[in-house]
Amino acid sequence: MLAKNFRALSKCINLTRNDKLEILQSNILHGRGKGLRNTLNKTVLFVQNRGNSQEAIKNEKKEKNLSYLYHPGFVPLMDITTGELFETAAEKWPNRECIFSVHQKIRLTYAEVYRRANMLAAGLKKLGLKNGDRLGLWAPNDIEWFIGYIASVRLGLIMVGINPGYEENEIEFCLKKVQVKAIIAPELFRRKNYANILLQCKEKCPFLEHIIIYSENHVRGTRLLTDVVNLPTKKDIEEICKEQKTISPNDGSNIQFTSGTTGKPKAAFLSHRALVNNSRQAAERFELHDNNHKICVNVPFFHAFGMIAQTSAWHSGTTLVLPAPTYNPVNSLDAIVNEKCSGIYGTPTMWVQLIDVTKRVGTYFNHITTGAVGGSPCSQELHRRIKDTFNLDRLKSVYGLTETTAVVFQTLPNEKRELTETTVGHLSDHIEVKIMDENGSIVPMGVGGELWVRGYANMISYWEDEENTKKMLTEDGWLKTGDQFILKPDGYGQVVGRLKDMIIRGGENIFPKEIEDFLQTHQEILEVHVTGINDDVYGEEVCAFIRLKGGSKLTAEELRNWCKGKIAHFKIPKYFEFRNSFPCTSSGKIRKFVLRDEYEAELASK
């Protein structure tokens, strides 16, 4: 019997001592750990003894002034699923407006969203989808995406968010990587025929059984979303509600695609527990509980920031306002003014563009009380410009990775303005961090190194990718962020730079190797190296340094046109620089930082 206890705890081996005790006790209270009651005391003693040795290690690190912190917080972790979280919100605020899609002219209360999501969940079950199957959402910020996500977690599916900017080869890769069984998408968006693209993908993806389109037209080979919603009976819908306890908070709830060392997107597999608890902390630190907030959501739903934006609202009865299917600063400004939004979420790039439009229009605000900036580091100057432009005191910074469920550090309520402007916030509750040097040793407090993170928020794994999972996660549960970071004794942190060769353009993660491999397929290109170039608006822009084959007269404009329709628009380099040679190390490696510095100096001199 004691062995069963240890096996139960081994499932949470990456969690803190308090977390393990909470899970074990919660399992017993909720009937999820039958047979554990008789040996609870022995197991608790085992964990506590193990925890005491960890406490000694923590004290030793503190005495040596090493960059290590664990922040236990004051509120226990919640042990519910994302679907149960939304059900609780619908029961608490049934008549409160949950979401307003400005571009679709659709307003729905929490009760209405709950009803529609359960109908869709039951309809998907009628199609044969079951717990653990993957449901793709390939769409912009539409109501259908929002309801599709809630339906997926209510049925116990694993939602797969896919960038609506992807082209056919990119969407095909995502479908194959996680074997999506059904996908929801619009028929058309921005001159792109999603339905036809998915039908072509289906020929190469036999596991893709259902293409579900929301449209006024029926497309042969697909199903209409309205038809799927109308499939279930009342009894079928009631069954969805009864089956919620069969879904575990430790199960996977969604897959977020991110870039990796292979140059291809990697599928970060996240749990209900991680998303529920990270979003709870986000709601508290965003101070959403102090008012019936209306938040202008500029970030895309498929993004990790967008996921937190949605679920944090469910903890507080917040209304989400969607100003446009994809970000447009003019539409956002109109929505903020017309809906009297009290909060705004966006990446630094979005805030820069929104400030520019606001200044040109000459709009004055006195109703915005909160805002959040994340996705990439925000400068101190931009913080000040945001606060001054929007008459906003409570601007929040958020730092994290897709692999850490979006949040690791975040601004605290009522903190000093200097901390908000110069750090990425305070360490999250129940999270452990340390700063490591290149030799795998913890650096002194205040010294830069790579940030490692451990706790409930870390991803389960990269989906069916043991090799890359082992590179990212150590055996004892530490996640290597690849970010150069400085940790302070008071729990605040600063991003110094990125150790990864990652380009972050307006909050979008772009891996250079993927673009290099793609450009290399052009018959006139001999060699190509891609790097990021500093940019005032997007943070970074993509620059491709190219050596052409002898006799080629290929121009930048011709190459840019060749890229269109083959890779996502945000991956197409802004700059094409043609070179006859490249600076190399003695071992023959290209010195990309030299290329970048030379070109940035050249741009500055123009």
Side-chain angles (χ1 to χ4, degrees):
M1 189 66 71
L2 184 59
K4 290 184 180 180
N5 272 327
F6 292 161
R7 285 199 296 271
L9 289 174
S10 69
K11 294 180 181 179
C12 340
I13 194 65
N14 295 339
L15 302 177
T16 65
R17 173 170 58 100
N18 290 339
D19 292 345
K20 291 174 185 176
L21 292 176
E22 287 165 12
I23 290 175
L24 182 61
Q25 290 166 340
S26 178
N27 283 342
I28 292 171
L29 289 172
H30 291 89
R32 288 172 175 156
K34 293 180 179 178
L36 297 180
R37 290 183 177 84
N38 295 334
T39 53
L40 172 62
N41 291 333
K42 293 181 181 179
T43 307
V44 168
L45 182 61
F46 167 79
V47 178
Q48 286 176 335
N49 288 337
R50 185 171 182 268
N52 290 336
S53 64
Q54 289 180 331
E55 289 297 329
I57 294 172
K58 292 173 188 176
N59 291 334
E60 180 184 353
K61 290 173 181 174
K62 186 176 181 180
E63 289 174 6
K64 292 182 178 180
N65 196 35
L66 296 179
S67 289
Y68 169 90
L69 284 175
Y70 167 63
H71 184 51
F74 302 100
V75 181
L77 293 170
M78 299 176 70
D79 195 30
I80 63 173
T81 66
T82 319
E84 288 175 313
L85 173 63
F86 191 84
E87 180 176 356
T88 300
E91 291 172 350
K92 192 171 184 180
W93 304 288
N95 299 319
R96 185 175 292 183
E97 191 171 280
C98 176
I99 190 167
F100 173 40
S101 177
V102 178
H103 59 284
Q104 293 175 293
K105 298 181 177 60
I106 300 175
R107 294 180 186 270
L108 297 175
T109 65
Y110 273 88
E112 289 169 334
V113 170
Y114 179 67
R115 179 180 61 83
R116 293 191 184 196
N118 283 335
M119 290 173 66
L120 177 55
L124 292 170
K125 186 178 180 181
K126 279 284 190 180
L127 294 181
L129 274 75
K130 60 185 183 301
N131 194 312
D133 285 340
R134 274 73 69 202
L135 173 71
L137 294 179
W138 187 36
N141 282 17
D142 287 339
I143 287 283
E144 289 80 3
W145 200 108
F146 186 71
I147 293 176
Y149 168 50
I150 299 169
S152 73
V153 295
R154 295 286 290 169
L155 185 54
L157 306 178
I158 298 167
M159 187 280 290
V160 183
I162 304 174
N163 193 326
Y166 275 178
E167 298 294 339
E168 182 177 339
N169 63 320
E170 294 164 312
I171 185 72
E172 182 184 326
F173 171 83
C174 294
L175 295 175
K176 288 180 176 178
K177 179 67 178 176
V178 301
Q179 295 200 329
V180 169
K181 188 172 182 178
I183 189 165
I184 296 174
E187 178 190 0
L188 305 166
F189 179 63
R190 283 191 169 175
R191 301 179 185 176
K192 189 184 297 184
N193 193 314
Y194 279 41
N196 285 345
I197 290 172
L198 289 172
L199 286 168
Q200 292 173 28
C201 288
K202 189 176 181 180
E203 296 177 2
K204 306 170 189 176
C205 305
F207 43 81
L208 179 59
E209 297 181 10
H210 306 288
I211 298 172
I212 303 168
I213 300 297
Y214 56 93
S215 169
E216 295 180 356
N217 308 309
H218 177 71
V219 179
R220 187 174 182 180
T222 72
R223 294 178 179 271
L224 283 175
L225 181 61
T226 51
D227 290 343
V228 176
V229 170
N230 290 324
L231 280 175
T233 64
K234 183 179 179 181
K235 183 179 179 181
D236 294 328
I237 297 168
E238 290 172 349
E239 286 299 313
I240 293 295
C241 297
K242 293 178 182 177
E243 294 170 358
Q244 292 308 297
K245 290 301 179 183
T246 65
I247 307 166
S248 169
N250 296 311
D251 288 346
S253 69
N254 60 299
I255 290 172
Q256 304 289 129
F257 278 99
T258 184
S259 296
T261 54
T262 63
K264 290 288 188 180
K266 291 181 292 187
F269 188 29
L270 308 176
S271 71
H272 288 273
R273 192 168 188 264
L275 196 57
V276 166
N277 286 286
N278 251 17
S279 59
R280 178 188 63 78
Q281 289 190 63
E284 290 175 356
R285 296 195 184 187
F286 288 156
E287 299 179 79
L288 297 182
H289 295 283
D290 68 351
N291 196 4
N292 181 8
H293 282 284
K294 281 189 174 184
I295 303 293
C296 176
V297 180
N298 297 306
V299 293
F301 277 163
F302 75 87
H303 196 278
F305 192 173
M307 294 296 296
I308 289 296
Q310 293 173 80
T311 47
S312 62
W314 307 345
H315 290 274
S316 53
T318 295
T319 301
L320 301 178
V321 178
L322 311 181
T326 57
Y327 179 64
N328 180 300
V330 175
N331 290 342
S332 292
L333 183 59
D334 286 343
I336 292 166
V337 172
N338 295 335
E339 290 300 306
K340 290 184 171 52
C341 292
S342 56
I344 307 170
Y345 295 164
T347 65
T349 300
M350 292 171 177
W351 282 103
V352 167
Q353 295 174 341
L354 196 53
I355 288 170
D356 179 58
V357 172
T358 301
K359 294 286 189 184
R360 286 191 278 113
V361 174
T363 306
Y364 174 78
F365 301 97
N366 61 4
H367 53 79
I368 301 172
T369 59
T370 191
V373 57
S376 59
C378 180
S379 68
Q380 187 173 7
E381 178 59 29
L382 181 54
H383 264 281
R384 291 170 177 171
R385 290 172 57 199
I386 292 170
K387 291 178 178 180
D388 292 343
T389 303
F390 297 95
N391 195 24
L392 170 63
D393 287 330
R394 292 185 294 175
L395 180 62
K396 313 290 186 174
S397 290
V398 177
Y399 166 82
L401 288 76
T402 301
E403 292 91 340
T404 63
T405 321
V407 184
V408 177
F409 287 80
Q410 189 179 350
T411 300
L412 289 173
N414 303 315
E415 70 182 20
K416 294 180 180 179
R417 181 165 181 166
E418 180 186 358
L419 287 171
T420 305
E421 295 178 353
T422 60
T423 74
V424 292
H426 191 277
L427 179 60
S428 296
D429 295 356
H430 304 285
I431 298 295
E432 209 174 353
V433 293
K434 59 183 177 180
I435 310 298
M436 308 295 284
D437 64 17
E438 61 274 13
N439 299 316
S441 298
I442 303 178
V443 304
M445 189 68 75
V447 174
E450 184 181 12
L451 173 67
W452 288 22
V453 180
R454 182 163 68 176
Y456 76 89
N458 283 357
M459 67 177 182
I460 298 170
S461 66
Y462 287 124
W463 182 266
E464 296 187 352
D465 189 346
E466 185 177 353
E467 180 183 353
N468 280 313
T469 299
K470 285 183 176 179
K471 290 178 182 178
M472 193 73 168
L473 284 169
T474 66
E475 289 185 2
D476 54 351
W478 287 102
L479 186 144
K480 305 175 184 179
T481 67
D483 286 331
Q484 191 174 18
F485 205 88
I486 291 176
L487 186 63
K488 298 184 176 184
D490 59 5
Y492 283 83
Q494 289 178 310
V495 176
V496 178
R498 291 188 306 282
L499 301 176
K500 300 176 182 178
D501 190 16
M502 184 79 76
I503 299 169
I504 301 181
R505 179 189 181 277
E508 291 284 356
N509 291 343
I510 302 171
F511 199 85
K513 190 176 184 298
E514 182 181 4
I515 302 174
E516 290 169 354
D517 290 346
F518 167 72
L519 290 174
Q520 198 72 55
T521 64
H522 195 289
Q523 59 183 2
E524 294 183 51
I525 292 178
L526 182 64
E527 188 177 3
V528 58
H529 301 282
V530 173
T531 188
I533 298 295
N534 287 329
D535 185 81
D536 291 338
V537 175
Y538 287 97
E540 285 184 303
E541 279 286 3
V542 181
C543 180
F545 295 90
I546 294 169
R547 184 155 62 102
L548 297 173
K549 294 179 180 179
S552 173
K553 302 295 183 182
L554 185 67
T555 66
E557 191 60 30
E558 289 172 340
L559 193 50
R560 190 171 290 108
N561 289 332
W562 178 79
C563 292
K564 291 178 179 178
K566 296 185 179 72
I567 57 173
H569 65 89
F570 56 83
K571 297 179 184 176
I572 298 174
K574 178 179 180 179
Y575 304 108
F576 289 95
E577 178 71 358
F578 298 95
R579 297 288 181 96
N580 294 322
S581 62
F582 299 99
C584 297
T585 64
S586 57
S587 62
K589 294 181 179 180
I590 302 300
R591 304 174 72 189
K592 283 189 176 183
F593 73 94
V594 174
L595 285 172
R596 182 191 65 234
D597 292 347
E598 288 178 351
Y599 194 63
E600 286 181 346
E602 185 178 326
L603 289 174
S605 65
K606 291 182 179 178

